[in-house]
Amino acid sequence: MFADRAKIIIKSGKGGDGHVSFRREKYVPDGGPDGGDGGRGGDVIFVIDEGLNTLTDYRHKRKFAAEPGQEGGKKKCHGRDGEDLILKVPAGTVIKDVETGKVIADMSGDNKRVIVLKGGRGGQGNSHYATATMQAPKYAQPGGEAIEIEVQLELKVIADVGLVGFPNVGKSTFLSRVTNAKPKIANYHFTTLQPNLGVVDMDEGFGFVIADIPGLIEGASEGIGLGHEFLRHVERTKVLIHVVDAAGVEGRDPIADIRAINTELERYNPELLKKPQVIAANKTDAIYDPESSIIADLKAEFGKEGIEVFPISAVSGAGVKELLYHVKHLLDKLPKETVVYEQEYDPSLIVLRDLPYTIEIDEDGSYVVEGPKIEKMLGYTNIESEKGFLFFQNFLKEQGILDELVEKGIEDGDTVRMYGHEFDYYK
């Protein structure tokens, strides 16, 4: 099946830790700190690949991670930066955060290359922390943490014009008539299971992209059938052509069909009904009843809404040219830019305070703070020194731990315990 959705987990590279070491050379008994900086973690970058038109590559692999930065070394050697992770997607792919449902990036228009997750910064080695009073710092800065999130990839076809209509009304035949597209055509429902794109070439070099949006059914906006899979492709288009069976070959009522589809569009996204619409009353070559008034009825029903009705035959080509010129006229009045969804969520704003930690009040009234990042930081930091203690205190502040202690009612003089260390709290 056409792969236009995929759910994957992406992770940036962790920054390399700064190194703690001291010069150990002959005749230099008291060598200073020479720990090097850690390397930067790799970014997760999405790029458009014009050769792709599906998200198949992401249907069978779930996890993707950039390379972590390398730890710093002795003699102030800088750790190697982690390799960036490049993920190629088709144009029109929207990247959403699964947890919030918000748009992170829309790979359309000028967004050819987007850094979605930044790698962790490299930690500074202990050579950065030497001072006149602290000449042998035994601590270094840990590398910045990696960021891991789950994202939803959704491919929304980029086309100027969308063909909508119930199954078997002749959309695929119309598309093959006006473009070089070769859609699959057969007489059964859901023949088209993926959007077919074609380019309409007109006079004076003017052309536009047209998409045959797979046949909709009532209840599509609620996900019935393949509703949501199809409706998302309508969002990109600027003009909608309703293709209806004017001959009633399957006994359908064209007016009722248009109303039903508009209802589904409105339920899915009310903004869709603001797009200009045109009605292509197809299969006029099969209207044998000279008394048939369906074309007049369509014009009477929708003309008052400013929607033009064009009787056409996708098979013979009758009326198609007039319809296309009307669509061209509508497009001329609309902005030329591709519809691009604005960013609603920036994962780079996820900071280390999102890492888990707990604050519990013990029976003796002391505050017990625990968490993997805190334990790791204590292992890196010489809190016996004034410089090291200030370093650790700034870390607690950056993580929001001090603010949360205040929220829990801590007061001056209260005890804070962390992995065997005890501190008296003072503002």
Side-chain angles (χ1 to χ4, degrees), residues 141-168:
Q141 185 183 34
E145 291 294 331
I147 299 174
E148 180 176 294
I149 61 171
E150 187 174 20
V151 296
Q152 176 84 51
L153 307 182
E154 294 183 356
L155 178 58
K156 297 174 187 276
V157 166
I158 299 176
D160 300 302
V161 178
L163 300 179
V164 295
F166 277 81
N168 289 341

PDB file of all heavy atoms in Angstrom, residues 141-168:
ATOM      1  N   GLN A 141      33.174  19.178  32.750  1.00  0.00           N
ATOM      2  CA  GLN A 141      31.758  19.341  32.404  1.00  0.00           C
ATOM      3  C   GLN A 141      31.259  18.134  31.599  1.00  0.00           C
ATOM      4  O   GLN A 141      31.893  17.738  30.617  1.00  0.00           O
ATOM      5  CB  GLN A 141      31.584  20.607  31.571  1.00  0.00           C
ATOM      6  CG  GLN A 141      30.129  20.948  31.261  1.00  0.00           C
ATOM      7  CD  GLN A 141      30.033  22.172  30.380  1.00  0.00           C
ATOM      8  OE1 GLN A 141      30.887  22.411  29.527  1.00  0.00           O
ATOM      9  NE2 GLN A 141      28.996  22.960  30.579  1.00  0.00           N
ATOM     10  N   PRO A 142      30.142  17.549  32.014  1.00  0.00           N
ATOM     11  CA  PRO A 142      29.579  16.456  31.208  1.00  0.00           C
ATOM     12  C   PRO A 142      29.094  16.991  29.863  1.00  0.00           C
ATOM     13  O   PRO A 142      28.752  18.166  29.734  1.00  0.00           O
ATOM     14  CB  PRO A 142      28.401  15.958  32.050  1.00  0.00           C
ATOM     15  CG  PRO A 142      28.591  16.537  33.401  1.00  0.00           C
ATOM     16  CD  PRO A 142      29.345  17.803  33.225  1.00  0.00           C
ATOM     17  N   GLY A 143      29.050  16.118  28.889  1.00  0.00           N
ATOM     18  CA  GLY A 143      28.508  16.518  27.585  1.00  0.00           C
ATOM     19  C   GLY A 143      27.009  16.734  27.666  1.00  0.00           C
ATOM     20  O   GLY A 143      26.330  16.167  28.529  1.00  0.00           O
ATOM     21  N   GLY A 144      26.495  17.585  26.769  1.00  0.00           N
ATOM     22  CA  GLY A 144      25.051  17.825  26.732  1.00  0.00           C
ATOM     23  C   GLY A 144      24.296  16.548  26.385  1.00  0.00           C
ATOM     24  O   GLY A 144      24.757  15.728  25.580  1.00  0.00           O
ATOM     25  N   GLU A 145      23.162  16.359  27.021  1.00  0.00           N
ATOM     26  CA  GLU A 145      22.384  15.135  26.815  1.00  0.00           C
ATOM     27  C   GLU A 145      21.791  15.067  25.405  1.00  0.00           C
ATOM     28  O   GLU A 145      21.519  16.083  24.772  1.00  0.00           O
ATOM     29  CB  GLU A 145      21.255  15.041  27.843  1.00  0.00           C
ATOM     30  CG  GLU A 145      21.722  14.803  29.258  1.00  0.00           C
ATOM     31  CD  GLU A 145      22.372  13.447  29.434  1.00  0.00           C
ATOM     32  OE1 GLU A 145      22.013  12.509  28.695  1.00  0.00           O
ATOM     33  OE2 GLU A 145      23.253  13.330  30.294  1.00  0.00           O
ATOM     34  N   ALA A 146      21.584  13.852  24.951  1.00  0.00           N
ATOM     35  CA  ALA A 146      20.874  13.636  23.691  1.00  0.00           C
ATOM     36  C   ALA A 146      19.383  13.907  23.893  1.00  0.00           C
ATOM     37  O   ALA A 146      18.880  13.842  25.016  1.00  0.00           O
ATOM     38  CB  ALA A 146      21.081  12.188  23.234  1.00  0.00           C
ATOM     39  N   ILE A 147      18.704  14.247  22.818  1.00  0.00           N
ATOM     40  CA  ILE A 147      17.255  14.432  22.866  1.00  0.00           C
ATOM     41  C   ILE A 147      16.610  13.322  22.041  1.00  0.00           C
ATOM     42  O   ILE A 147      17.008  13.074  20.898  1.00  0.00           O
ATOM     43  CB  ILE A 147      16.842  15.801  22.295  1.00  0.00           C
ATOM     44  CG1 ILE A 147      17.476  16.930  23.107  1.00  0.00           C
ATOM     45  CG2 ILE A 147      15.318  15.945  22.291  1.00  0.00           C
ATOM     46  CD1 ILE A 147      17.230  18.311  22.522  1.00  0.00           C
ATOM     47  N   GLU A 148      15.647  12.654  22.615  1.00  0.00           N
ATOM     48  CA  GLU A 148      14.946  11.572  21.913  1.00  0.00           C
ATOM     49  C   GLU A 148      13.450  11.857  21.912  1.00  0.00           C
ATOM     50  O   GLU A 148      12.862  12.111  22.969  1.00  0.00           O
ATOM     51  CB  GLU A 148      15.228  10.223  22.581  1.00  0.00           C
ATOM     52  CG  GLU A 148      14.520   9.043  21.906  1.00  0.00           C
ATOM     53  CD  GLU A 148      14.899   7.707  22.531  1.00  0.00           C
ATOM     54  OE1 GLU A 148      16.071   7.323  22.413  1.00  0.00           O
ATOM     55  OE2 GLU A 148      14.016   7.069  23.152  1.00  0.00           O
ATOM     56  N   ILE A 149      12.849  11.838  20.751  1.00  0.00           N
ATOM     57  CA  ILE A 149      11.405  12.054  20.647  1.00  0.00           C
ATOM     58  C   ILE A 149      10.824  11.105  19.604  1.00  0.00           C
ATOM     59  O   ILE A 149      11.537  10.588  18.737  1.00  0.00           O
ATOM     60  CB  ILE A 149      11.048  13.510  20.261  1.00  0.00           C
ATOM     61  CG1 ILE A 149      11.643  13.867  18.906  1.00  0.00           C
ATOM     62  CG2 ILE A 149      11.468  14.486  21.330  1.00  0.00           C
ATOM     63  CD1 ILE A 149      11.158  15.212  18.370  1.00  0.00           C
ATOM     64  N   GLU A 150       9.536  10.902  19.707  1.00  0.00           N
ATOM     65  CA  GLU A 150       8.816  10.127  18.691  1.00  0.00           C
ATOM     66  C   GLU A 150       8.094  11.106  17.772  1.00  0.00           C
ATOM     67  O   GLU A 150       7.441  12.038  18.242  1.00  0.00           O
ATOM     68  CB  GLU A 150       7.808   9.184  19.342  1.00  0.00           C
ATOM     69  CG  GLU A 150       7.152   8.222  18.362  1.00  0.00           C
ATOM     70  CD  GLU A 150       6.255   7.202  19.039  1.00  0.00           C
ATOM     71  OE1 GLU A 150       5.831   7.453  20.190  1.00  0.00           O
ATOM     72  OE2 GLU A 150       5.973   6.163  18.436  1.00  0.00           O
ATOM     73  N   VAL A 151       8.256  10.909  16.476  1.00  0.00           N
ATOM     74  CA  VAL A 151       7.638  11.824  15.515  1.00  0.00           C
ATOM     75  C   VAL A 151       6.753  11.059  14.544  1.00  0.00           C
ATOM     76  O   VAL A 151       6.981   9.880  14.253  1.00  0.00           O
ATOM     77  CB  VAL A 151       8.686  12.640  14.722  1.00  0.00           C
ATOM     78  CG1 VAL A 151       9.463  13.559  15.649  1.00  0.00           C
ATOM     79  CG2 VAL A 151       9.631  11.738  13.938  1.00  0.00           C
ATOM     80  N   GLN A 152       5.738  11.758  14.059  1.00  0.00           N
ATOM     81  CA  GLN A 152       4.847  11.236  13.027  1.00  0.00           C
ATOM     82  C   GLN A 152       5.210  11.918  11.708  1.00  0.00           C
ATOM     83  O   GLN A 152       5.250  13.148  11.624  1.00  0.00           O
ATOM     84  CB  GLN A 152       3.387  11.560  13.377  1.00  0.00           C
ATOM     85  CG  GLN A 152       2.382  11.146  12.304  1.00  0.00           C
ATOM     86  CD  GLN A 152       1.997   9.686  12.433  1.00  0.00           C
ATOM     87  OE1 GLN A 152       1.627   9.233  13.512  1.00  0.00           O
ATOM     88  NE2 GLN A 152       2.072   8.950  11.348  1.00  0.00           N
ATOM     89  N   LEU A 153       5.517  11.126  10.709  1.00  0.00           N
ATOM     90  CA  LEU A 153       5.765  11.665   9.373  1.00  0.00           C
ATOM     91  C   LEU A 153       4.493  11.504   8.553  1.00  0.00           C
ATOM     92  O   LEU A 153       3.928  10.409   8.458  1.00  0.00           O
ATOM     93  CB  LEU A 153       6.920  10.915   8.691  1.00  0.00           C
ATOM     94  CG  LEU A 153       8.246  10.811   9.459  1.00  0.00           C
ATOM     95  CD1 LEU A 153       9.279  10.073   8.617  1.00  0.00           C
ATOM     96  CD2 LEU A 153       8.759  12.184   9.840  1.00  0.00           C
ATOM     97  N   GLU A 154       4.033  12.598   7.963  1.00  0.00           N
ATOM     98  CA  GLU A 154       2.828  12.562   7.130  1.00  0.00           C
ATOM     99  C   GLU A 154       3.142  13.211   5.791  1.00  0.00           C
ATOM    100  O   GLU A 154       3.606  14.349   5.745  1.00  0.00           O
ATOM    101  CB  GLU A 154       1.670  13.313   7.797  1.00  0.00           C
ATOM    102  CG  GLU A 154       1.170  12.688   9.074  1.00  0.00           C
ATOM    103  CD  GLU A 154      -0.025  13.438   9.649  1.00  0.00           C
ATOM    104  OE1 GLU A 154      -0.393  14.486   9.076  1.00  0.00           O
ATOM    105  OE2 GLU A 154      -0.588  12.982  10.653  1.00  0.00           O
ATOM    106  N   LEU A 155       2.909  12.464   4.734  1.00  0.00           N
ATOM    107  CA  LEU A 155       3.135  13.008   3.394  1.00  0.00           C
ATOM    108  C   LEU A 155       1.847  13.626   2.886  1.00  0.00           C
ATOM    109  O   LEU A 155       0.827  12.954   2.761  1.00  0.00           O
ATOM    110  CB  LEU A 155       3.605  11.902   2.446  1.00  0.00           C
ATOM    111  CG  LEU A 155       3.828  12.317   0.990  1.00  0.00           C
ATOM    112  CD1 LEU A 155       4.854  13.442   0.898  1.00  0.00           C
ATOM    113  CD2 LEU A 155       4.270  11.132   0.156  1.00  0.00           C
ATOM    114  N   LYS A 156       1.887  14.925   2.645  1.00  0.00           N
ATOM    115  CA  LYS A 156       0.726  15.636   2.099  1.00  0.00           C
ATOM    116  C   LYS A 156       1.112  16.097   0.700  1.00  0.00           C
ATOM    117  O   LYS A 156       2.022  16.906   0.534  1.00  0.00           O
ATOM    118  CB  LYS A 156       0.354  16.830   2.974  1.00  0.00           C
ATOM    119  CG  LYS A 156      -0.088  16.452   4.387  1.00  0.00           C
ATOM    120  CD  LYS A 156      -0.296  17.706   5.230  1.00  0.00           C
ATOM    121  CE  LYS A 156      -0.580  17.371   6.684  1.00  0.00           C
ATOM    122  NZ  LYS A 156      -1.967  17.061   6.942  1.00  0.00           N
ATOM    123  N   VAL A 157       0.439  15.547  -0.289  1.00  0.00           N
ATOM    124  CA  VAL A 157       0.776  15.827  -1.683  1.00  0.00           C
ATOM    125  C   VAL A 157       0.749  17.324  -1.974  1.00  0.00           C
ATOM    126  O   VAL A 157      -0.151  18.043  -1.550  1.00  0.00           O
ATOM    127  CB  VAL A 157      -0.207  15.095  -2.625  1.00  0.00           C
ATOM    128  CG1 VAL A 157      -0.093  15.624  -4.034  1.00  0.00           C
ATOM    129  CG2 VAL A 157       0.087  13.603  -2.605  1.00  0.00           C
ATOM    130  N   ILE A 158       1.773  17.798  -2.696  1.00  0.00           N
ATOM    131  CA  ILE A 158       1.835  19.206  -3.080  1.00  0.00           C
ATOM    132  C   ILE A 158       1.307  19.333  -4.509  1.00  0.00           C
ATOM    133  O   ILE A 158       1.937  18.870  -5.456  1.00  0.00           O
ATOM    134  CB  ILE A 158       3.277  19.737  -2.999  1.00  0.00           C
ATOM    135  CG1 ILE A 158       3.784  19.630  -1.560  1.00  0.00           C
ATOM    136  CG2 ILE A 158       3.364  21.166  -3.480  1.00  0.00           C
ATOM    137  CD1 ILE A 158       5.231  20.028  -1.393  1.00  0.00           C
ATOM    138  N   ALA A 159       0.153  19.914  -4.669  1.00  0.00           N
ATOM    139  CA  ALA A 159      -0.444  20.105  -5.991  1.00  0.00           C
ATOM    140  C   ALA A 159      -1.257  21.390  -5.976  1.00  0.00           C
ATOM    141  O   ALA A 159      -1.754  21.809  -4.934  1.00  0.00           O
ATOM    142  CB  ALA A 159      -1.332  18.920  -6.357  1.00  0.00           C
ATOM    143  N   ASP A 160      -1.385  22.019  -7.131  1.00  0.00           N
ATOM    144  CA  ASP A 160      -2.183  23.247  -7.223  1.00  0.00           C
ATOM    145  C   ASP A 160      -3.671  22.930  -7.200  1.00  0.00           C
ATOM    146  O   ASP A 160      -4.472  23.670  -6.633  1.00  0.00           O
ATOM    147  CB  ASP A 160      -1.836  23.993  -8.520  1.00  0.00           C
ATOM    148  CG  ASP A 160      -0.365  24.376  -8.585  1.00  0.00           C
ATOM    149  OD1 ASP A 160       0.091  25.088  -7.682  1.00  0.00           O
ATOM    150  OD2 ASP A 160       0.314  23.949  -9.526  1.00  0.00           O
ATOM    151  N   VAL A 161      -4.031  21.827  -7.839  1.00  0.00           N
ATOM    152  CA  VAL A 161      -5.447  21.482  -8.020  1.00  0.00           C
ATOM    153  C   VAL A 161      -5.682  20.054  -7.551  1.00  0.00           C
ATOM    154  O   VAL A 161      -4.882  19.156  -7.843  1.00  0.00           O
ATOM    155  CB  VAL A 161      -5.852  21.613  -9.501  1.00  0.00           C
ATOM    156  CG1 VAL A 161      -7.303  21.207  -9.696  1.00  0.00           C
ATOM    157  CG2 VAL A 161      -5.618  23.035  -9.988  1.00  0.00           C
ATOM    158  N   GLY A 162      -6.760  19.867  -6.818  1.00  0.00           N
ATOM    159  CA  GLY A 162      -7.121  18.525  -6.371  1.00  0.00           C
ATOM    160  C   GLY A 162      -8.432  18.083  -6.987  1.00  0.00           C
ATOM    161  O   GLY A 162      -9.403  18.845  -7.025  1.00  0.00           O
ATOM    162  N   LEU A 163      -8.447  16.858  -7.476  1.00  0.00           N
ATOM    163  CA  LEU A 163      -9.685  16.270  -7.996  1.00  0.00           C
ATOM    164  C   LEU A 163     -10.332  15.477  -6.879  1.00  0.00           C
ATOM    165  O   LEU A 163      -9.716  14.574  -6.309  1.00  0.00           O
ATOM    166  CB  LEU A 163      -9.388  15.319  -9.163  1.00  0.00           C
ATOM    167  CG  LEU A 163      -8.708  15.875 -10.402  1.00  0.00           C
ATOM    168  CD1 LEU A 163      -8.485  14.757 -11.424  1.00  0.00           C
ATOM    169  CD2 LEU A 163      -9.552  16.974 -11.020  1.00  0.00           C
ATOM    170  N   VAL A 164     -11.566  15.837  -6.523  1.00  0.00           N
ATOM    171  CA  VAL A 164     -12.283  15.086  -5.495  1.00  0.00           C
ATOM    172  C   VAL A 164     -13.575  14.562  -6.075  1.00  0.00           C
ATOM    173  O   VAL A 164     -14.134  15.116  -7.030  1.00  0.00           O
ATOM    174  CB  VAL A 164     -12.582  15.962  -4.244  1.00  0.00           C
ATOM    175  CG1 VAL A 164     -11.293  16.374  -3.564  1.00  0.00           C
ATOM    176  CG2 VAL A 164     -13.416  17.186  -4.606  1.00  0.00           C
ATOM    177  N   GLY A 165     -14.059  13.509  -5.500  1.00  0.00           N
ATOM    178  CA  GLY A 165     -15.298  12.913  -5.981  1.00  0.00           C
ATOM    179  C   GLY A 165     -15.403  11.488  -5.492  1.00  0.00           C
ATOM    180  O   GLY A 165     -14.417  10.896  -5.044  1.00  0.00           O
ATOM    181  N   PHE A 166     -16.603  10.943  -5.575  1.00  0.00           N
ATOM    182  CA  PHE A 166     -16.816   9.570  -5.155  1.00  0.00           C
ATOM    183  C   PHE A 166     -16.116   8.612  -6.112  1.00  0.00           C
ATOM    184  O   PHE A 166     -15.740   8.991  -7.233  1.00  0.00           O
ATOM    185  CB  PHE A 166     -18.319   9.269  -5.082  1.00  0.00           C
ATOM    186  CG  PHE A 166     -18.959   9.714  -3.804  1.00  0.00           C
ATOM    187  CD1 PHE A 166     -19.339  11.039  -3.620  1.00  0.00           C
ATOM    188  CD2 PHE A 166     -19.165   8.816  -2.761  1.00  0.00           C
ATOM    189  CE1 PHE A 166     -19.909  11.461  -2.431  1.00  0.00           C
ATOM    190  CE2 PHE A 166     -19.734   9.235  -1.560  1.00  0.00           C
ATOM    191  CZ  PHE A 166     -20.107  10.558  -1.401  1.00  0.00           C
ATOM    192  N   PRO A 167     -15.918   7.362  -5.685  1.00  0.00           N
ATOM    193  CA  PRO A 167     -15.266   6.401  -6.578  1.00  0.00           C
ATOM    194  C   PRO A 167     -16.036   6.227  -7.896  1.00  0.00           C
ATOM    195  O   PRO A 167     -17.260   6.345  -7.939  1.00  0.00           O
ATOM    196  CB  PRO A 167     -15.281   5.095  -5.763  1.00  0.00           C
ATOM    197  CG  PRO A 167     -15.364   5.541  -4.332  1.00  0.00           C
ATOM    198  CD  PRO A 167     -16.182   6.787  -4.352  1.00  0.00           C
ATOM    199  N   ASN A 168     -15.274   5.976  -8.943  1.00  0.00           N
ATOM    200  CA  ASN A 168     -15.835   5.653 -10.267  1.00  0.00           C
ATOM    201  C   ASN A 168     -16.576   6.790 -10.956  1.00  0.00           C
ATOM    202  O   ASN A 168     -17.443   6.550 -11.781  1.00  0.00           O
ATOM    203  CB  ASN A 168     -16.777   4.439 -10.184  1.00  0.00           C
ATOM    204  CG  ASN A 168     -16.012   3.148  -9.940  1.00  0.00           C
ATOM    205  OD1 ASN A 168     -14.811   3.090 -10.171  1.00  0.00           O
ATOM    206  ND2 ASN A 168     -16.703   2.140  -9.468  1.00  0.00           N
TER     207      ASN A 168
END
